[in-house]
Every structure is written in structure tokens, then in C-alpha cells.
Amino acid sequence: MKRTGEAQRCLQPVVELRKEVSSYAYSVRAPRSRGVIPPSSYRNGGFATLADCLGDVARALGGDFSRIYVRLDGLCVGERDIAELRREPQRVAVELKAGLEAELKAKAVFEFRAETLSEPGEG
């Protein structure tokens, strides 16, 4: 029999945060299972800031989970404790945006290197 913490770890949800035209929204789904991405089980939106969105995530999931996987605008930006979303949503929002920027830069560098390597050399 699994202890509560172990069972919860297996059920750690994925929160998909996204910037819409003039607001933020999120959806919640189970983690990927054997390569299959399950559909979202919960959605909410219309938040003025990412911090407001994170605060709602904490209220919605805080009673059932202690940690979540976080994706922002389609890219994985790590795991977070629900408690830190509740206590410091503004700080977490800044860190998530910085994580997204780092992921985008790394992806651009990788794509540039792959493109450069695939071009025939001169000589």
C-alpha cells in the first residue's frame, strides 16, 4: 500500500497556464500516461495577471495537492509547491516568466545549431 505522499506524487497534476489576448487562463490535467496526454479536467480564465491566475490555481488545487507540474504557453517550466503560489504569486509569476524566456532561448539556440550543422559546408 502506498503512503499518501507517494500516491499524491503519482497523481501530481499538470497546470497549463497561457496568455490569452488580454488575460490569463489555465487548465488542469493528469500527468502524461504512457505517451498519451489526457484531456483537461478543469479550466478557468479571465485573470488580469499571471499572479491572479496562480492564486486561483492555489485555491482550486490546494486542498488536494501539494505540488504541481507547470507549463506556460506550451513549454514546461518546472514544478511548484501550491503553498508558494498561495503565499507569493507575484514572485512565482516572475520566476515562471523567466523560466519561459530561458526555455525559448535554449530552444532557439538548439534550432540554430541544428540548422547550421545540416547546411553543407564550404570548402
Side-chain angles (χ1 to χ4, degrees):
M1 180 121 169
K2 292 184 178 183
R3 293 189 325 244
T4 304
E6 290 174 32
Q8 188 180 66
R9 176 78 175 162
C10 294
L11 299 173
Q12 186 172 324
V14 177
V15 174
E16 302 267 355
L17 303 161
R18 66 193 173 285
K19 174 81 167 119
E20 295 181 333
V21 176
S22 61
S23 64
Y24 284 87
Y26 72 93
S27 60
V28 179
R29 64 175 170 79
R32 183 182 298 225
S33 175
R34 297 184 178 137
V36 176
I37 298 174
S40 297
S41 58
Y42 181 77
R43 298 173 192 267
N44 203 356
F47 300 98
T49 67
L50 182 56
D52 292 340
C53 189
L54 292 170
D56 196 72
V57 169
R59 285 186 293 279
L61 300 176
D64 298 318
F65 300 96
S66 61
R67 291 185 63 78
I68 56 172
Y69 294 109
V70 181
R71 294 177 56 83
L72 178 57
D73 291 332
L75 294 175
C76 181
V77 289
E79 292 180 72
R80 292 295 185 159
D81 288 328
I82 295 286
E84 72 177 325
L85 301 183
R86 187 178 298 114
R87 282 191 314 264
E88 299 180 274
Q90 186 62 44
R91 179 187 57 80
V92 174
V94 169
E95 290 175 3
L96 291 176
K97 288 178 181 179
L100 176 64
E101 288 296 317
E103 285 294 320
L104 290 172
K105 285 180 184 175
K107 187 176 178 181
V109 167
F110 176 78
E111 289 172 357
F112 175 77
R113 286 183 181 161
E115 185 178 294
T116 303
L117 293 174
S118 66
E119 293 178 4
E122 294 181 28

